[in-house]
Amino acid sequence: MAQALTRAMRDAMAEDPTVHVMGEDVGTLGGVFRITDGLAKEFGEERCTDTPLAEAGILGAAVGMAMYGLRPVVEMQFDAFAYPAFEQLISHVAKMRNRTRGAMPLPITIRVPYGGGIGGVEHHCDSSEAYYVATPGLHVVTPATVEDAYGLLRASIASDDPVVFLEPKRLYWSKADWRPEAPAAVPGIGKALVRRAGTSATLITYGPSLPVCLEAAEAAREEGWDLEVVDLRSLVPFDEQTVVESVRRTGRAVVVHEAGGFGGPGAEIAARVTERCFHHLEAPVLRVTGFDIPYPPPMLEKHHLPGVDRILDTVARLQWEN
Amino acid sequence: MTVQELPGAGASHRSTPPPAWSPRTDAAPLLPDPEPYRVLGTEAADRLDPELMRRCYAELVRGRRYNAQATALTKQGRLAVYPSTVGQEACEIAAALVLEEQDWLFPSYRDTLAAVARGLDPVQALTLLRGDWHTGYDPREHRIAPLSTPLATQLPHAVGLAHAARLRGDDVVALAMVGDGGTSEGDFHEALNFAAVWQAPVVFLVQNNGFAISVPLAKQTAAPTLAHKAVGYGMPGRLVDGNDIAAMHEVLTEAVRRARAGGGPTLIEAVTYRMEAHTNADDATRYRGDAEVEAWKAHDPVDLLERELTARGIIDETAIQAVRDDAETMAAALREGMNADPVVDPMDLFAHVYAEQTDRLREQAAMLRAELEAEDQA
Ligand SMILES: Cc1ncc(C[n+]2csc(CCOP(=O)(O)OP(=O)(O)O)c2C)c(N)n1
């Protein structure tokens, strides 16, 4: 996946001279995850810039650059280090189009490696998507496959609106059969995809939890469950249609994500599914999420992260008897 | 109201000229010296206190050994990661030595060694990096704030704590540590400003080790030195050789003394060098050459002091050997402590989120307990 992200930025920069990449350590080092590797060499330090260490400054400067016609792609080094930039994000990035009656859109892509499962020390594993999806004016997307890493990042950079691009860091090293010579065309921002067809219930998920859900769906066959798995790909906008169609087919739904459950994206999704599918549902919409706790230290994270067993236990509860 | 009627809109509306601007005249000299302050190898070394220097030497050698042991533990997989302070030991040790028991240390994620030199148990200091809990000690007990991973965010805390102590009439100084990269964060600037406005008893110690991960100082700031940053906030800035423990000790002691006496904050820039990579996960060859690292080897903090003290007859071979043996003992204890498998209780996930458990967390705890019991039976 890392390679696909690099390639997406490279292609975007080659095609459009207004695309600029910036952030901490993105130049010479190529980023701490090496996602910007080689960009400074190919396009020069003015287009792939090591900034001073200041997230509010980075995003604030990106606002000004976008106001003047550039397309900044900003890297936040880790989920929890994006927080100093929230003032800029919420007060300006998300609101500029609206404040200016459409006169000043901000085509900024904010790349944030997020989520746990890599044994990182504290402040390196937050699932921060709930903060972003609660802020009107931002698109929030997250790839779970190598094709999407490329396709969604290209779409984000091309978007005239600000996009928070959440990179599931534990999937950076996932290798799939992806040929960079011919990047596959994938649907852009706002479209969910059925990753596995099934008939007995729908798992609705995104980002780092997609592979876990696919594994759970395989395991569930033994129990006689044929699970459908929907990958949202984009949290804002939310593809209600794909989700609703799936749940109407299967009659049961479980939302799975790593972020805490209370006020997490799953709460919104469960509410929408209930509103739209009430007469089709055989059971309440259930959720499998991280606990409502600060992200734990590495030695405990396996107990916190939603895994296959927790998903299967929840699926079993869909055998609802009134 | 039209625009013209708005107060202050247009100079012609001013009935009286603005009052004359008067700069502060009562302030101590703020500008740092152009060269880092040095003691070792200069005439100033004539007045070294042999007792203090022997202590500094012993701590430096222990510090170096501690760094080596912690790095070895990462190679054995006992620590997830360790940000080494090899080359920076003089800063770490001096910061710990100048504080009184009631004072507070606010370390950054790199400053485990300063915490250990202040007396923290080495194993407790490393739990964050081992992964059993974020902060493995009680900050109040040791007066050491949690090692701060988000950069510069601990600096306003240091200001607030020092301010609170003064409001309560307590004799407490806070010493806050930050890297060169961290000085670019908004929190750094806000902390300096608050400290100066409140005349809080705080000492800011910037360890300028040349790099913020891969980014060299020249891309971090256009200021002549980081110590210059003090001036705009109205506090003295001091530039010191961070590899010279005698100079570090003197400058920090002076700053702590002034803070204690009500003289307000000081910003100290210690010029040093990070001899190893950012962490064991970093590849330093991508952003710097060997020649630079080699040049700094000749200015090693342990060697500098050892040479000075040997030349002055303050330590000899026997004393050096005794210090090394002591460091070996410390390293062996650390190894042993870290090789014991930590016992972690999964139910701890819920134990410290709120003072009183919420229903929701109680439910989640019950769910995890059931899962664990099912696993046990399987
Ligand atoms: C707010 C914030 N942004 C980014 C990071 C990621 N990060 C960790 S260490 C580091 C470099 C720090 O450099 P410096 O302040 O010079 O301290 P040093 O590592 O040299 O001790 C960065 C960018 C972080 N920890 N916190």
Side-chain angles (χ1 to χ4, degrees), chain A residues 25 28-29 34 37 45 52-55 121-124 261-262 291-293 295-300 303 310, chain B residues 128 131-134 149-151 181 184-185 212-215 219-220 286 342 346 349-350 360-361 364 367 371:
Chain A
D25 301 288
T28 318
L29 189 68
R34 308 284 185 267
D37 203 7
E45 285 188 20
L53 212 170
E55 294 74 13
V121 289
E122 69 172 336
H123 303 289
H124 287 80
F262 195 86
F291 295 129
D292 294 295
I293 58 172
Y295 197 87
M299 286 185 184
L300 291 173
H303 300 293
R310 206 169 284 166
Chain B
L128 166 74
D132 40 336
W133 201 262
H134 303 305
T149 303
L151 298 167
S184 296
E185 290 282 0
I213 310 188
S214 68
V215 178
K219 286 192 185 173
Q220 203 63 246
R286 280 185 167 240
L349 289 179
F350 308 98
R360 191 171 174 89
L361 287 189
Q364 295 182 345
M367 176 178 139
E371 284 178 11

Side-chain angles (χ1 to χ4, degrees), chain A residues 86-121:
Chain A
F86 267 38
E87 165 70 7
Q88 289 295 336
L89 185 76
I90 289 160
S91 300
H92 298 293
V93 173
K95 294 190 171 108
M96 191 68 89
R97 175 185 287 277
N98 189 255
R99 290 165 70 208
T100 60
R101 288 187 170 269
M104 189 162 273
L106 292 180
I108 303 175
T109 303
I110 303 152
R111 296 181 34 243
V112 188
Y114 82 121
I118 60 160
V121 289

Side-chain angles (χ1 to χ4, degrees), chain A residues 266-282:
Chain A
E268 175 66 28
I269 296 164
R272 297 241 211 156
V273 169
T274 308
E275 286 165 8
R276 295 286 311 277
C277 307
F278 188 66
H279 291 296
H280 302 262
L281 285 171
E282 309 280 342

Side-chain angles (χ1 to χ4, degrees), chain A residues 3-4 7-8 10-11 146 150 176-184:
Chain A
Q3 209 193 332
R7 175 65 187 262
R10 195 191 148 262
D11 290 355
V146 176
Y150 182 86
D177 187 21
W178 184 67
R179 279 157 314 174
E181 319 83 64

Side-chain angles (χ1 to χ4, degrees), chain A residues 38-101:
Chain A
L39 298 182
K41 207 173 219 170
E42 186 170 349
F43 298 100
E45 285 188 20
E46 271 181 11
R47 295 208 39 215
C48 180
T49 311
D50 277 335
T51 63
L53 212 170
E55 294 74 13
I58 296 168
L59 191 52
V63 169
M65 289 164 72
M67 287 168 84
Y68 206 72
L70 300 184
R71 277 183 189 271
V73 179
V74 159
E75 176 174 304
M76 294 287 156
Q77 204 158 71
F78 277 93
D79 32 53
F81 307 144
Y83 302 150
F86 267 38
E87 165 70 7
Q88 289 295 336
L89 185 76
I90 289 160
S91 300
H92 298 293
V93 173
K95 294 190 171 108
M96 191 68 89
R97 175 185 287 277
N98 189 255
R99 290 165 70 208
T100 60
R101 288 187 170 269

